[in-house]
Amino acid sequence: MTTPALLPLSGRRIPTLSPGASSFTHHRATLRLSEKFILLLILSAFITLCFGAFFFLPDNSKHKRFDLGLEDVLIPHIDSPKEGKHASGPTTVESLRDKIRADHERALQEAKEKLRKSREELQAEIQTEKNKVMEDLKKTNAGPKPLPPVPMPRVVGINDGEPPEPDVKEKRDKIREMMKHAWDSYRQYGWGYNELKPLAKKGHSTNIFGATIVDALDTLYIMGLHEEFKDGQEWIEQNLDFSVNAEVSVFEVNIRFIGGLLAAYYLSGQEVFKLKAVQLAEKLLPAFNTPTGIPWAMVNLKSGVGRNWGWASAGSSILAEFGTLHMEFVHLTYLTGNPAYYQKVMHIRKLLAKMDRPNGLYPNYLNPRTGRWGQHHTSVGGLGDSFYEYLLKAWLMSDKTDTEARKTYDDAIEAIERHLIRKSNGGLTFIGEWKNGHLERKMGHLACFAGGMFALGADGSPDDKAGHYLQLGAEIAHTCHESYDRTVLKLGPEAFKFDSGLEAVAVRQNEKYYILRPEVIETYWYMWRFTHDPKYRQWGWEAAQAIDKYCRVSGGFSGVKDVYSSTPTYDDVQQSFFLAETLKYLYLLFSSDDLMPLESWVFNTEAHPLPVLHLGNITLPGSEPAQR
């Protein structure tokens, strides 16, 4: 019934000429009555709405927006209720009736005034309202609303760091040149794709695009390659779109894209990176819609439908994947004021705290439907690694106030040392893998990050064990260096064993490859920062030379399939983490300590630096005093 009356808003159905006066008069009268009817209908609906809202909407004074326990610190842009804001007493019944009567009379008076207006005046008002609606729609479709302003955390040491020693500076310059070669090759041959095929000289992609750009941004900035950084920023502004029908890994998207965008924002202050990070994070939230709140491994960015990897222990989620969200999600809550991100990761932590752990160890698989562990396989390498890393880094990122995270880390490391860490017959300390009550004497390249983690967590260890954990980190670094030194190419294999007379050597052909991984160099850097033992720079330089000699090709850098072969074959992939992690850690290794100081920055598992949130003596939400 209302459609014919609304159609003349366009003006196309209001005739300017008519065959006869009677026809024009009849049409004009009908139109005015329709318009008056609509206006009366709107006004009466408005009065009813006001009346209902007054009585039935809850009293906002009784509810906070949400309660994290640190609204003024973690989320400083949320206004807390002012004292006395709701101090007036309850409204009396008589005054309430008077108010309703006055509102009703005012609305009737406005309706009478509307009915006295001419057709032209009514049409003008309707057109004005239409224009207002159209403007509102334009604003809605113009893009995301700006985020509320928050204080920028303390950002220090993001440039320079030039070492005083000429020979060290020369090495650092070489690392920057390697970064430029990797970036320029990608820029020329694979721009916009996830990664580069450096031999084929073309893009290599999976679901969403631009992983190398996002992953490399903070490395470019730290190295002072600001023109390259600007090129990456322009591509992100114009092309990075998450409204695609694509299934992605929640874990990979979080550590690479969200971590990379947040780091670029904190380093450069450019709002576009923060906005893009938040847009993407919203797309990941449906992955947590499981019976337990443990997220699916994958989620479709468009539909929000999630699922797990088919091979992962009867549909389980993976410890390293759902346990490597805390750093980024806490920063997302800090920047947006949306408690959902923080609540999701704290829910995971609390659920794990309630579960029984075999021998104090965390199995790598957890079923998100049943809340039960999958097969009892524990590893500090693949499938488990960054879960432990993020427990420690949650504590560090909170300015050491999240004592719950620190206690959980300490307990986990104690169990790992008791059940997984052993010495070989040749005196090499290694971290094995626990499988159904049996220790497999094999260590993966991925587990080599743990040397740096032990060193990073040494300060603050319980029972005055700081020296012990620093020594343990040094032993792991030595073992991982041996895995490099015992190959032909002086590059480490994907995994290496410690039995049958073989130590720190790969046995299977499918474990002899090197795909530009950073974990060993990561540990060298942390050990250098905490000890300044020159051997760590020497070992790092050996690795850099080997990468430059055996992995460099005219179109970038490629992984190699067999580190024990003097004539290596290439896998033809320049991994995005090579620019995000491997080259960044090498550059920091040959820089002075005032570049990215560890007191102010915590690196996520993809080496994206996030600033410490200095919260003074206030405990982070979720870390209750009783849990200290």
Side-chain angles (χ1 to χ4, degrees):
M1 180 176 70
T2 57
T3 304
L6 290 175
L7 284 174
L9 290 177
S10 65
R12 287 176 292 179
R13 291 188 56 187
I14 299 177
T16 53
L17 294 174
S18 176
S22 59
S23 173
F24 178 79
T25 303
H26 173 75
H27 181 81
R28 180 173 180 270
T30 304
L31 188 64
R32 290 189 62 185
L33 286 173
S34 299
E35 290 170 348
K36 289 176 182 179
F37 176 75
I38 292 166
L39 288 169
L40 282 171
L41 195 64
I42 292 170
L43 287 168
S44 61
F46 176 74
I47 293 167
T48 304
L49 182 64
C50 291
F51 181 82
F54 196 88
F55 277 105
F56 298 113
L57 283 182
D59 180 2
N60 287 332
S61 67
K62 297 177 183 177
H63 301 276
K64 292 184 180 180
R65 181 180 171 194
F66 59 88
D67 181 15
L68 289 181
L70 266 187
E71 293 173 353
D72 297 327
V73 181
L74 181 62
I75 313 170
H77 51 284
I78 294 173
D79 295 329
S80 55
K82 299 292 187 292
E83 185 175 349
K85 183 177 178 181
H86 303 285
S88 57
T91 308
T92 64
V93 175
E94 189 60 37
S95 63
L96 187 60
R97 287 174 178 167
D98 291 342
K99 183 180 185 306
I100 295 172
R101 191 179 297 110
D103 289 343
H104 185 63
E105 290 176 356
R106 185 170 58 253
L108 286 175
Q109 184 60 36
E110 289 176 0
K112 290 177 182 178
E113 291 176 0
K114 292 284 184 186
L115 292 172
R116 291 194 191 101
K117 293 184 178 180
S118 66
R119 170 180 175 276
E120 290 74 16
E121 288 173 323
L122 284 171
Q123 184 178 341
E125 286 189 9
I126 292 171
Q127 188 62 43
T128 299
E129 288 300 314
K130 178 189 173 187
N131 293 339
K132 184 176 181 298
V133 170
M134 293 300 293
E135 285 298 316
D136 290 342
L137 284 173
K138 286 180 182 177
K139 290 177 183 177
T140 302
N141 297 327
K145 294 179 180 179
L147 295 172
V150 298
M152 177 72 85
R154 187 158 60 105
V155 176
V156 298
I158 61 175
N159 49 42
D160 197 17
E162 185 169 308
E165 309 91 340
D167 61 320
V168 178
K169 182 182 182 303
E170 185 178 341
K171 292 181 174 71
R172 189 173 91 139
D173 289 343
K174 174 60 180 176
I175 303 303
R176 186 194 282 114
E177 184 277 327
M178 291 169 67
M179 177 67 180
K180 193 152 180 12
H181 176 62
W183 174 264
D184 288 346
S185 298
Y186 170 79
R187 181 75 175 84
Q188 183 174 357
Y189 303 118
W191 191 239
Y193 287 89
N194 267 343
E195 289 165 329
L196 168 69
K197 295 176 73 68
L199 273 76
K201 295 184 177 178
K202 63 181 183 180
H204 172 64
S205 193
T206 50
N207 286 330
I208 57 178
F209 302 130
T212 293
I213 297 175
V214 178
D215 245 357
L217 278 173
D218 51 15
T219 306
L220 294 169
Y221 195 94
I222 291 167
M223 289 186 178
L225 298 171
H226 295 300
E227 286 301 316
E228 291 81 355
F229 179 89
K230 184 179 178 182
D231 286 345
Q233 177 179 340
E234 289 178 356
W235 185 90
I236 286 170
E237 288 175 336
Q238 298 168 13
N239 300 287
L240 189 57
D241 179 21
F242 306 120
S243 301
V244 291
N245 186 16
E247 192 176 53
V248 299
S249 162
V250 174
F251 164 74
E252 294 289 354
V253 164
N254 179 63
I255 66 171
R256 298 190 193 211
F257 283 84
I258 294 179
L261 290 165
L262 290 176
Y265 164 68
Y266 283 122
L267 289 170
S268 69
Q270 297 297 313
E271 290 284 319
V272 62
F273 300 126
K274 178 172 67 173
L275 294 173
K276 291 286 186 181
V278 172
Q279 287 174 27
L280 179 54
E282 289 174 352
K283 301 278 188 179
L284 297 186
L285 288 178
F288 293 82
N289 295 334
T290 66
T292 60
I294 297 294
W296 300 113
M298 292 173 286
V299 68
N300 186 292
L301 292 178
K302 187 172 184 179
S303 69
V305 174
R307 69 179 178 93
N308 275 343
W309 307 108
W311 50 264
S313 187
S316 290
S317 298
I318 297 168
L319 182 69
E321 297 193 340
F322 65 77
T324 310
L325 302 166
H326 188 96
M327 290 179 63
E328 297 82 2
F329 275 43
V330 166
H331 272 277
L332 286 166
T333 285
Y334 174 77
L335 291 172
T336 65
N338 183 355
Y341 305 107
Y342 177 81
Q343 290 170 347
K344 300 293 186 191
V345 292
M346 289 305 298
H347 175 79
I348 292 171
R349 183 192 291 183
K350 292 183 184 303
L351 186 147
L352 291 177
K354 295 175 184 176
M355 296 184 66
D356 291 330
R357 294 180 292 281
N359 295 319
L361 297 171
Y362 290 86
N364 290 335
Y365 300 106
L366 180 62
N367 192 301
R369 291 189 177 91
T370 66
R372 296 192 181 97
W373 296 117
Q375 67 187 75
H376 286 186
H377 173 207
T378 297
S379 170
V380 184
L383 306 179
D385 47 10
S386 47
F387 166 72
Y388 307 101
E389 175 187 359
Y390 269 42
L391 290 175
L392 173 63
K393 290 181 174 179
W395 175 69
L396 292 169
M397 198 181 73
S398 72
D399 200 18
K400 301 182 180 179
T401 61
D402 187 357
T403 53
E404 181 183 76
R406 176 76 214 207
K407 176 69 164 58
T408 308
Y409 168 79
D410 289 332
D411 291 346
I413 296 307
E414 183 182 345
I416 285 168
E417 191 169 8
R418 187 183 308 118
H419 297 287
L420 303 186
I421 297 180
R422 297 286 185 271
K423 269 196 189 294
S424 70
N425 293 333
L428 296 177
T429 301
F430 67 94
I431 310 174
E433 297 189 8
W434 190 265
K435 291 188 176 180
N436 296 315
H438 169 71
L439 182 67
E440 186 175 6
R441 297 171 67 86
K442 180 177 78 171
M443 185 172 176
H445 191 290
L446 288 167
C448 284
F449 91 97
M453 179 179 71
F454 293 144
L456 186 62
D459 184 23
S461 298
D463 305 322
D464 298 322
K465 295 178 73 174
H468 166 74
Y469 283 113
L470 194 60
Q471 177 60 30
L472 181 58
E475 292 176 14
I476 297 296
H478 173 66
T479 298
C480 293
H481 174 255
E482 286 298 306
S483 77
Y484 274 51
D485 204 43
R486 298 180 186 192
T487 70
V488 172
L489 303 185
K490 304 303 178 186
L491 293 169
E494 183 69 6
F496 40 95
K497 302 200 80 173
F498 295 88
D499 57 11
S500 304
L502 294 172
E503 297 196 356
V505 174
V507 176
R508 297 178 179 177
Q509 188 61 42
N510 64 356
E511 294 175 341
K512 295 181 178 180
Y513 60 87
Y514 173 71
I515 55 172
L516 306 171
R517 286 203 186 277
E519 289 77 20
V520 174
I521 295 164
E522 175 183 356
T523 279
Y524 293 165
W525 175 60
Y526 280 113
M527 292 306 303
W528 164 257
R529 279 285 175 102
F530 289 109
T531 70
H532 287 131
D533 187 328
K535 72 182 178 186
Y536 296 114
R537 276 183 167 171
Q538 178 58 36
W539 291 352
W541 183 239
E542 290 172 5
Q545 288 179 301
I547 291 169
D548 198 51
K549 182 175 181 179
Y550 295 112
C551 299
R552 184 176 186 135
V553 295
S554 63
F557 290 86
S558 171
V560 292
K561 294 182 179 180
D562 188 346
V563 293
Y564 300 97
S565 170
S566 57
T567 55
T569 54
Y570 298 107
D571 65 11
D572 198 19
V573 179
Q574 179 177 283
Q575 303 280 351
S576 76
F577 58 68
F578 178 63
L579 292 82
E581 300 184 75
T582 311
L583 292 174
K584 182 187 286 128
Y585 285 132
L586 281 169
Y587 187 79
L588 291 170
L589 180 62
F590 298 108
S591 298
S592 62
D593 290 0
D594 58 0
L595 181 62
M596 310 305 296
L598 293 175
E599 299 79 21
S600 301
W601 296 94
V602 183
F603 289 75
N604 87 338
T605 199
E606 189 81 359
H608 295 308
L610 298 175
V612 169
L613 296 175
H614 293 277
L615 304 180
N617 296 318
I618 304 175
T619 304
L620 272 174
S623 288
E624 298 173 6
Q627 296 171 319
R628 292 188 178 186

